[in-house]
Amino acid sequence: MLDIVKLRELVEQGYKIYSIKKEDSGKYEISLIFSGRGNPSEGQLYFMVTDDEVVVAKAYEIYNR
């Protein structure tokens, strides 16, 4: 539950989803970036690790917009 709230807060603050990767452990790493140009070396990165399928589905929905 807390992961979905954190994802929503980050998106509302202007973070964009940069990548979604499944780790060997079965958890997902969602990388978000806060940058006007979308270049990770110029922006602020945030990494979220979760195994919540609802969060992952929402992240894919946001990423594919």
Side-chain angles (χ1 to χ4, degrees):
M1 177 66 177
L2 295 176
D3 288 343
I4 194 72
V5 172
K6 186 64 177 177
L7 179 65
R8 185 186 69 203
E9 287 176 356
L10 289 168
V11 170
E12 287 176 355
Q13 291 175 6
Y15 280 79
K16 305 286 184 210
I17 295 177
Y18 184 69
S19 68
I20 304 169
K21 300 176 191 172
K22 187 170 186 177
E23 298 178 341
D24 292 338
S25 66
K27 293 187 177 193
Y28 286 83
E29 178 186 281
I30 303 169
S31 304
L32 299 105
I33 184 168
F34 185 79
S35 174
R37 290 177 245 157
N39 185 346
S41 63
E42 298 176 4
Q44 183 177 4
L45 290 172
Y46 184 90
F47 298 97
M48 172 186 280
V49 178
T50 185
D51 59 356
D52 188 334
E53 293 295 325
V54 174
V55 174
V56 174
K58 188 64 176 177
Y60 274 118
E61 180 185 321
I62 293 168
Y63 182 73
N64 291 319
R65 282 188 195 165

